[in-house]
Amino acid sequence: MSASDDGSSSPRSQLCSQVFGDLLDSIIVDAASECHRIARLGLDRNLEEEEEELRLSAQARVADPSSSSDGNSKNMVDIFGQTHPAIASEIFDCMNCGRPIVAGRFAPHLEKCMGKGRKARQKTTRSTTMAQSRNSRGSPISVYAPYSTANSINRVPNGGSSASAEYKDYAFDEP
Amino acid sequence: MASRRNPSFNNPKPCPHLSSYREKHGLSGYESLQKSLRSSPSGRTVLSRLQSTNPTCSSCPNTSIGRLYFCLICSSISCPSHAASHSLSFPGHDISVDVERAELFCLSCADQVYDPDFDSAVVAAAAKILHPPLRRRRRKPLLMLLPPPVAMSSFRGIRTALRHPWGLRGLNNLGNTCFMNSVLQALLHTPPLRNYFLGDHHKRDVCRQRRRRRGALAVAGGGEGPCLACVVEGVFLDVFSGDRKPYSPARFLYSWWKHSSNLSGYEQQDAHEFFISILDKIHDKELSGFNSKGIVDCHCIAHSVFSGILRSDITCTVCGFTSTTYDPCVDIPVDLETVYNTDKSASPADKTRLSTLAGSLDLFTRPEKLGSDQKLYCQNCRVKQESVKQMSIRRLPLVLCFHVKRFAHSVIRRTSKKLDQYMQFPFSLDMTPYLSSSIIRNRFGNRIFAFEGDESDLSGEISSEFEVFAVVTHSGRLDSGHYVTYLRLRNQWYKCDDAWITEVREEVVRALQGYMIYYVQKVLYHRSGEERVIPGTGCF
């Protein structure tokens, strides 16, 4: 069992080896017994399927390391054979004020138009959002809490396309 | 002693020795053992009698620890070496109990065997619980979530429909609104949601009447207008109209802002927050209520589709008392596993540690020892004690949304950064290991026993097998980035980048860094792929 080949086979070290051996045996049988039960009762996870998924993902990553899908696809033809300008050019009337607005500039227009301007907005600082949510696993404690989300510290701001550089008045703050 | 057999187990066929033991002795042997079952410090059930000496093998008294088998007939103890000889010397003495593990062991077969009644006895003794009564399950009307009837009056003729999936249409970016477009694409192709809205299940007339009843509630700015679900229905009808020109969700944006308080507005640029906000606004308070267990249960379309129930168990480390709470959730937060890549020069094939969704779910459902500064009140001890917390999924929703937490916030430095770490996610996902039934059963040694929390999970109405259908990705930095959604329709993946829809290979999607990953129950996924064509019209 243990490599006590330094010649000392005193009854004491023999006893130590034996005890160690018994303990190790016990641990091994613990694991074996658990796995035996899981396998016999059909509780084991479908390892074959899981491994197949892992293999396919690994293959995919090797084949496509730099997500070439993020390349500039804005100039190409879509599956319906259409091309589109970087800023959406469709024109429609604003629901608030009635003026005709270009689609690609509709949101900034609407924001001002509806008075949801940034001056009106009260910023929630990061310290308040982080302070609210400490335990990030799952939902709040009370059974009667309304449908609140897990927590709100995880925000990825910006919905911009590459054309967003144009909107100088929309230099968004970091959250 | 009646035991409730759990249908999801294989009930293993007993070996002939176990069968004959059961015929002769029934349950008497098990029952007499119950008083000798104890909990070891590790939480496992062991067989131990309060004697002055430790149990030893009757044939070789020197072996004191290790595997010992306690014969159910004559109570003699054998070690593995002498186990077989015991059953040979005493015919009929085949069935024994592994002392350390409270498992049945057949001395003749030299193998561990299983008997649901034995497990029941062990669990009953160990957990000191009575058999829970089987609860009747309430069948939810799922009819509205099936694909809509084939003839649809609002349907205009499509010519290219047969070549491309129904409802595949670009969304114009209205000015930094890709956070909205990405989620809209996912929702537009969420099978039960799509079927609901296209099947005309949201009654606009009822909405109008209700609003009239409530009176014109004037929010600053003059009323809210139609409810957001009505507007969403409008979006569905427009996107699925057959027109393939990119659609501008302007009216939707307007209505969403109308329904948001003045303080929110443009600030919600996070796709996940937008998702939560939309569900909240489509949610109908009037359909909410409590189910028989006192858990909030809402039948509005948003919650029927996305809401699951999480179970949280807090176990006192001192007395073992467990208190359980249930909370609804509309998505599951996923923490990225920390992967330590110490050897940067290693090729991808060598890196054995990979961050996976399964691994993160294991993390989510692992028992977590709460710090000594987080002592919780134990009802049994009547003081605050150190506790162990464990989460599990009590009920799965029809559609699972995983929200990958790709952010690290440093409180000290008051900075955040985005985590671009890759996380593997499967296309087919089995959620069984994360269900409350699995987690709790595992806690009790995987005994064959119908634990509380079993019934609803495994009756077959809501299965645990899911298929991915939408992946929302975010690329770029925390303060400047872009959202793109990948949709899986008729087993082909499409990249939806605002107005630009292109086909992509499956490998591209597997290699993505998902931010929000949507899965739908396998049954609903396959059913939604069956698109029938009305002969002669070219319509679906």
Side-chain angles (χ1 to χ4, degrees):
Chain A
M1 197 100 261
S2 53
S4 54
D5 289 342
D6 52 0
S8 64
S9 47
S10 65
R12 193 179 201 177
S13 64
Q14 270 182 359
L15 196 60
C16 285
S17 307
Q18 194 184 321
V19 169
F20 177 78
D22 283 342
L23 283 171
L24 191 60
D25 189 58
S26 187
I27 293 170
I28 293 172
V29 174
D30 283 347
S33 170
E34 244 181 77
C35 293
H36 189 280
R37 174 176 270 275
I38 287 172
R40 269 298 164 82
L41 299 185
L43 297 174
D44 38 1
R45 293 158 73 138
N46 197 335
L47 286 174
E48 279 172 11
E49 273 180 23
E50 286 185 15
E51 276 173 19
E52 177 66 10
E53 293 270 5
L54 283 171
R55 192 185 61 81
L56 288 170
S57 293
Q59 248 177 19
R61 294 187 69 206
V62 168
D64 193 325
S66 63
S67 34
S68 55
S69 56
D70 276 2
N72 189 1
S73 54
K74 312 277 167 149
N75 297 322
M76 61 197 263
V77 175
D78 68 14
I79 56 168
F80 309 115
Q82 305 165 130
T83 50
H84 315 287
I87 303 175
S89 55
E90 184 188 355
I91 297 180
F92 43 78
D93 294 337
C94 171
M95 301 94 211
N96 207 38
C97 64
R99 301 214 302 266
I101 310 286
V102 171
R105 302 182 206 275
F106 178 69
H109 159 80
L110 193 66
E111 200 192 31
K112 287 200 208 109
C113 187
M114 284 174 76
K116 280 192 184 290
R118 307 181 64 238
K119 299 159 194 139
R121 221 176 50 217
Q122 183 184 22
K123 271 209 306 206
T124 52
T125 63
R126 206 171 330 130
S127 55
T128 59
T129 50
M130 283 207 308
Q132 281 161 21
S133 39
R134 232 200 108 181
N135 186 8
S136 59
R137 303 217 295 166
S139 37
I141 315 290
S142 147
V143 170
Y144 301 99
Y147 286 97
S148 45
T149 82
N151 63 63
S152 50
I153 51 172
N154 300 292
R155 296 173 35 176
V156 183
N158 193 335
S161 57
S162 48
S164 61
E166 280 198 47
Y167 301 108
K168 294 270 169 54
D169 34 338
Y170 291 97
F172 295 111
D173 287 350
E174 271 86 300
Chain B
M1 180 197 311
S3 70
R4 311 286 185 192
R5 275 173 186 70
N6 190 317
S8 81
F9 282 88
N10 296 343
N11 212 340
K13 201 162 158 261
C15 72
H17 311 104
L18 181 59
S19 303
S20 72
Y21 169 82
R22 282 295 307 266
E23 270 175 37
K24 286 205 198 81
H25 301 272
L27 304 172
S28 54
Y30 302 163
E31 281 162 1
S32 61
L33 273 184
Q34 280 184 301
K35 51 188 178 300
S36 310
L37 292 169
R38 311 255 175 268
S39 252
S40 79
S42 63
R44 181 182 301 134
T45 312
V46 299
L47 193 63
S48 90
R49 281 122 138 245
L50 295 172
Q51 293 170 299
S52 48
T53 57
N54 285 325
T56 59
C57 173
S58 48
S59 312
C60 53
N62 293 326
T63 316
S64 56
I65 59 173
R67 272 179 291 160
L68 292 173
Y69 300 112
F70 175 86
C71 176
L72 277 177
I73 307 213
C74 66
S75 302
S76 77
I77 297 182
S78 321
C79 72
S81 322
H82 296 112
S85 59
H86 179 78
S87 62
L88 285 172
S89 321
F90 301 93
H93 292 218
D94 308 298
I95 305 301
S96 66
V97 177
D98 181 331
V99 170
E100 283 294 314
R101 290 156 202 97
E103 294 274 17
L104 288 177
F105 191 85
C106 175
L107 299 170
S108 303
C109 298
D111 198 9
Q112 198 162 284
V113 292
Y114 303 96
D115 185 342
D117 294 316
F118 176 73
D119 279 354
S120 294
V122 170
V123 172
K128 297 190 182 68
I129 56 177
L130 299 168
H131 299 282
L134 264 184
R135 282 174 193 83
R136 287 232 130 251
R137 296 210 46 264
R138 195 163 26 105
R139 298 208 146 263
K140 273 206 286 222
L142 288 178
L143 295 171
M144 69 172 78
L145 302 173
L146 296 174
V150 188
M152 276 178 51
S153 48
S154 57
F155 215 89
R156 292 164 229 147
I158 354 154
R159 269 174 234 127
T160 57
L162 289 172
R163 267 182 31 230
H164 295 116
W166 195 22
L168 188 59
R169 197 173 172 188
L171 297 174
N172 279 325
N173 188 312
L174 306 176
N176 290 327
T177 60
C178 70
F179 72 94
M180 176 179 81
N181 286 349
S182 54
V183 172
L184 274 182
Q185 285 286 15
L187 294 178
L188 284 165
H189 294 277
T190 296
L193 214 60
R194 179 200 70 198
N195 298 338
Y196 176 83
F197 283 108
L198 291 179
D200 196 27
H201 292 285
H202 177 73
K203 304 297 174 197
R204 282 194 258 207
D205 301 330
V206 173
C207 259
R208 222 173 288 134
Q209 280 172 28
R210 222 192 270 170
R211 267 187 292 127
R212 235 176 272 133
R213 249 191 297 130
R214 286 196 210 130
L217 293 165
V219 175
E224 292 185 339
C227 84
L228 205 67
C230 288
V231 181
V232 167
E233 188 188 57
V235 175
F236 268 94
L237 291 174
D238 283 334
V239 170
F240 281 80
S241 64
D243 191 349
R244 299 296 189 175
K245 262 180 29 277
Y247 173 72
S248 295
R251 175 159 290 280
F252 173 80
L253 179 67
Y254 171 70
S255 301
W256 176 53
W257 276 352
K258 270 243 126 146
H259 284 82
S260 309
S261 67
N262 273 331
L263 298 179
S264 51
Y266 227 161
E267 202 168 317
Q268 290 190 358
Q269 304 159 40
D270 172 39
H272 177 252
E273 280 193 3
F274 172 75
F275 172 64
I276 299 296
S277 160
I278 284 302
L279 288 189
D280 185 56
K281 292 175 184 358
I282 298 177
H283 159 61
D284 187 347
K285 285 189 280 286
E286 300 200 3
L287 292 173
S288 186
F290 293 93
N291 72 3
S292 52
K293 295 192 72 147
I295 308 171
V296 177
D297 197 10
C298 179
H299 296 293
C300 78
I301 186 58
H303 292 116
S304 298
V305 173
F306 288 101
S307 183
I309 298 177
L310 291 180
R311 172 177 168 143
S312 168
D313 290 321
I314 309 268
T315 306
C316 173
T317 52
V318 173
C319 69
F321 179 81
T322 302
S323 91
T324 300
T325 46
Y326 293 103
D327 293 298
C329 66
V330 292
D331 61 13
I332 299 197
V334 173
D335 283 300
L336 287 167
E337 294 178 276
T338 29
V339 178
Y340 300 104
N341 290 326
T342 48
D343 185 5
K344 300 240 187 253
S345 58
S347 71
D350 288 347
K351 292 196 179 122
T352 47
R353 230 15 208 103
L354 174 70
S355 174
T356 64
L357 179 63
S360 297
L361 288 173
D362 283 332
L363 261 180
F364 183 73
T365 53
R366 82 183 192 287
E368 184 192 4
K369 180 119 199 283
L370 301 176
S372 46
D373 57 332
Q374 289 173 284
K375 289 191 186 165
L376 295 173
Y377 182 76
C378 169
Q379 285 165 264
N380 205 29
C381 304
R382 296 185 188 264
V383 286
K384 285 193 176 179
Q385 303 280 23
E386 286 196 15
S387 321
V388 172
K389 175 174 166 179
Q390 187 168 34
M391 304 287 301
S392 55
I393 301 175
R394 170 72 167 81
R395 189 184 75 199
L396 288 163
L398 294 179
V399 176
L400 263 175
C401 172
F402 290 107
H403 173 221
V404 182
K405 313 221 309 245
R406 289 194 168 277
F407 320 91
H409 295 287
S410 164
V411 187
I412 314 127
R413 277 189 246 141
R414 290 182 146 250
T415 55
S416 356
K417 67 170 179 176
K418 186 177 163 217
L419 304 172
D420 276 318
Q421 185 181 314
Y422 171 74
M423 182 190 77
Q424 182 271 346
F425 61 95
F427 280 14
S428 301
L429 176 66
D430 186 355
M431 291 294 287
T432 310
Y434 317 108
L435 293 176
S436 299
S437 51
S438 306
I439 298 285
I440 294 161
R441 191 183 306 137
N442 193 25
R443 209 187 280 161
F444 286 98
N446 288 314
R447 299 281 171 179
I448 306 172
F449 187 78
F451 293 100
E452 189 225 324
D454 260 349
E455 336 91 20
S456 312
D457 301 326
L458 303 155
S459 71
E461 187 172 289
I462 292 193
S463 88
S464 343
E465 290 179 76
F466 288 79
E467 287 290 318
V468 69
F469 69 93
V471 181
V472 176
T473 62
H474 175 268
S475 51
R477 297 193 341 253
L478 211 57
D479 53 347
S480 62
H482 183 50
Y483 286 103
V484 173
T485 298
Y486 293 78
L487 292 177
R488 187 189 195 190
L489 301 167
R490 300 198 308 208
N491 244 0
Q492 166 69 48
W493 282 95
Y494 297 90
K495 176 183 177 186
C496 306
D497 182 352
D498 287 328
W500 291 266
I501 311 269
T502 49
E503 279 183 2
V504 292
R505 284 170 15 254
E506 182 184 295
E507 287 77 24
V508 168
V509 180
R510 284 199 188 270
L512 289 174
Q513 282 174 26
Y515 175 53
M516 291 167 71
I517 310 178
Y518 291 84
Y519 288 84
V520 67
Q521 298 223 340
K522 195 161 150 184
V523 173
L524 297 175
Y525 172 77
H526 288 302
R527 209 178 286 164
S528 80
E530 297 158 22
E531 287 168 354
R532 296 147 306 193
V533 183
I534 315 173
T537 61
C539 300
F540 287 96

